[in-house]
Amino acid sequence: MLNVFTLVNGRLFQEEIDSLEDLARFKPIWVDMESPTSEERRWVRQHFGLSIPEDAIDDDIEESARFFEEDNGELHVRSDFLIDDEDDPRHVRVAFILNDRNPDLKSHGVLFSIHDEDVPVFRLLRLRARRMPGLIDDAKDVLLSLYDTDAEYCADTLEDIYEDLERISTKVLSGQVTDDIATEVLAAIARHEDMSGRIRRNMMDTRRAVSFMMRSRMLSAEQFEDARQILRDLDSLDSHTAFLFEKINFLMDATIGFININQNKIIKIFSVASVALLPPTLIASIYGMNFQFMPELEWRLGYPFALALMVASALGPMWYFRRRGWLK
């Protein structure tokens, strides 16, 4: 899918492109390519003179592979954007190409983005820029606004995690943690720990990209201040993420503690039963020796007496354990 975005009266408008002729009719500031076909790549190459590398969205993590500038003035940035999907949370790699220094190229002042699937941050920015005039003035504003919206998206996701952790805390601290509840709680905690880690990684990637834009001296004074504000927002989210990790660890320890208590109750029952049955076993062993000269061997009441003695020896310890509160 190939979409171009033009700036009209301070608002961002989207146009779908179905042919090379459609592409030539517009003067965009942003060209967004979602899983572009070879034909769409050819249109971009013919109209803008821009060749999109085949490995534009590879998984390289080295800074030299993710942030660099070509000899012709093209700035290349590769960033990861978060998708908060409950069933399949993941990152989407997006490659940005921006030429803001070489006016001889037709791609001058146009931001190109390439990715494999739709990104929620992109949808949020498109909606906001269409409704809020003056939010975007040029292609660099588009890129900065994407990173700003990404920080807000991470903040909203962290708030959702905190609210769910509050509900989990109510269950755990109620003291009635059964095995089923513990299983549910541990599964939820594991999901939130994974998502918090993804958010922290995403914020680190965004911080690196914004810092690279500031070092490249491509931003105006106002845009430079906007970039600094994005970095400050990311710093505040870092402390909030650290707090969530501490809360997750506390809930994990508390849940495991309740699991251990439930297991200890089961082990205590078996321990009490084994101790209570030791005296009857001893009595049965003595009476099972069958010595010829035992006094009880010819006694008619010997067998009932042995049975009664075994029952009494079993009930006695149980009564004592119950009185001491060890069976609760």
Side-chain angles (χ1 to χ4, degrees), residues 30-302:
W30 181 19
V31 176
D32 184 46
M33 291 171 279
E34 179 184 339
S35 299
T37 63
S38 57
E39 186 178 23
E40 291 171 341
R41 289 172 179 262
R42 179 174 57 82
W43 295 344
V44 171
R45 183 172 61 253
Q46 290 181 0
H47 182 71
F48 293 103
L50 178 70
S51 296
I52 301 174
E54 293 294 333
D55 60 346
I57 51 178
D58 282 356
D59 291 333
D60 295 322
I61 61 174
E62 296 82 3
E63 186 168 359
S64 60
R66 302 186 68 170
F67 314 104
F68 61 93
E69 186 175 357
E70 295 282 7
D71 295 336
N72 61 0
E74 290 179 354
L75 193 71
H76 291 252
V77 178
R78 298 177 183 178
S79 297
D80 294 331
F81 288 84
L82 181 69
I83 295 183
D84 180 17
D85 190 308
E86 184 175 354
D87 298 325
D88 183 24
R90 60 196 181 277
H91 288 98
V92 175
R93 174 64 54 82
V94 180
F96 296 105
I97 303 175
L98 175 62
N99 170 29
D100 195 59
R101 299 183 179 178
N102 191 347
D104 296 332
L105 298 179
K106 202 169 184 179
S107 61
H108 180 259
V110 181
L111 174 68
F112 297 87
S113 57
I114 306 98
H115 48 97
D116 282 337
E117 58 180 304
D118 192 20
V119 182
V121 170
F122 283 40
R123 295 197 303 268
L124 291 173
L125 177 62
R126 292 196 296 262
L127 180 63
R128 183 176 299 176
R130 189 165 57 245
R131 295 181 175 179
M132 299 173 58
L135 179 65
I136 293 175
D137 293 328
D138 55 22
K140 292 179 292 185
D141 277 340
V142 174
L143 187 54
L144 277 177
S145 297
L146 284 173
Y147 289 129
D148 185 30
T149 307
D150 185 45
E152 293 182 13
Y153 184 79
C154 290
D156 292 340
T157 305
L158 287 174
E159 290 178 1
D160 293 339
I161 292 176
Y162 179 78
E163 291 178 0
D164 199 27
L165 288 178
E166 285 293 300
R167 291 192 291 269
I168 294 174
S169 299
T170 303
K171 292 182 179 180
V172 173
L173 300 181
S174 65
Q176 304 296 327
V177 182
T178 63
D179 291 342
D180 292 337
I181 293 178
T183 301
E184 178 185 348
V185 167
L186 289 177
I189 289 176
R191 288 195 305 270
H192 293 323
E193 195 279 336
D194 176 70
M195 179 57 71
S196 299
R198 292 179 183 274
I199 291 174
R200 174 166 286 188
R201 176 181 178 274
N202 187 78
M203 292 189 301
M204 179 186 68
D205 182 84
T206 302
R207 182 181 290 107
R208 292 171 61 191
V210 174
S211 298
F212 173 73
M213 293 178 63
M214 297 172 67
R215 292 195 305 270
S216 65
R217 299 180 180 179
M218 59 179 289
L219 304 177
S220 64
E222 183 179 357
Q223 290 170 337
F224 192 86
E225 182 59 32
D226 291 340
R228 293 182 60 184
Q229 182 59 46
I230 294 174
L231 293 181
R232 287 193 290 267
D233 292 341
L234 293 173
D235 289 338
S236 65
L237 291 180
D238 267 342
S239 60
H240 189 53
T241 307
F243 165 74
L244 286 183
F245 273 117
E246 293 177 358
K247 190 173 184 66
I248 287 172
N249 290 331
F250 165 74
L251 292 175
M252 179 74 73
D253 293 339
T255 305
I256 293 177
F258 280 113
I259 292 175
N260 291 333
I261 291 174
N262 293 338
Q263 291 177 343
N264 289 337
K265 289 180 180 178
I266 298 174
I267 295 175
K268 181 175 67 175
I269 293 174
F270 283 104
S271 300
V272 170
S274 61
V275 172
L277 293 177
L278 281 178
T281 303
L282 176 62
I283 295 172
S285 300
I286 294 175
Y287 276 84
M289 293 179 183
N290 295 324
F291 289 126
Q292 183 177 359
F293 297 104
M294 285 184 66
E296 296 83 359
L297 191 60
E298 301 295 335
W299 186 28
R300 291 184 178 182
L301 298 179

